[in-house]
Amino acid sequence: FEGDGVARLRDGRFELFGPERIGCRGTIAAMAEDASGAMLFGSSADGLCRFDGQRGRRFGPSEGLAATVIEGMRRDGDDVWLA
């Protein structure tokens, strides 16, 4: 997917989720679902973003995340590992 944001395929139709909706700018390089069902996005510009289906929240250095570039992500039970 080229450009900011992500797309979801549901019932044969694509729905676009731009940066203003998911809370992340930049290329999304990684995705995972957290234990509550929210989507996590790793961004090339904004670190980690969590989208609960209604709104996005950004996590970066002020929340304790060491980097603002996330290139990989994997869920392990209730934990999510970032690279």
Side-chain angles (χ1 to χ4, degrees):
F1 187 75
E2 194 169 321
D4 290 353
V6 296
R8 174 176 64 190
L9 176 62
R10 178 184 276 175
D11 299 326
R13 301 183 118 175
F14 285 101
E15 182 178 3
L16 302 178
F17 294 82
E20 65 286 339
R21 189 159 175 201
I22 64 171
C24 264
R25 295 172 295 124
T27 300
I28 304 300
M31 294 187 285
E33 184 178 355
D34 73 10
S36 71
M39 290 302 298
L40 303 172
F41 302 109
S43 167
S44 65
D46 282 337
L48 179 71
C49 298
R50 182 179 184 274
F51 181 65
D52 65 7
Q54 299 298 315
R55 64 185 157 197
R57 179 174 177 212
R58 190 175 308 147
F59 296 88
S62 62
E63 291 80 26
L65 189 60
T68 57
V69 176
I70 306 295
E71 296 178 343
M73 192 179 314
R74 180 171 170 91
R75 182 173 166 192
D76 178 22
D78 288 340
D79 299 328
V80 177
W81 293 83
L82 309 173

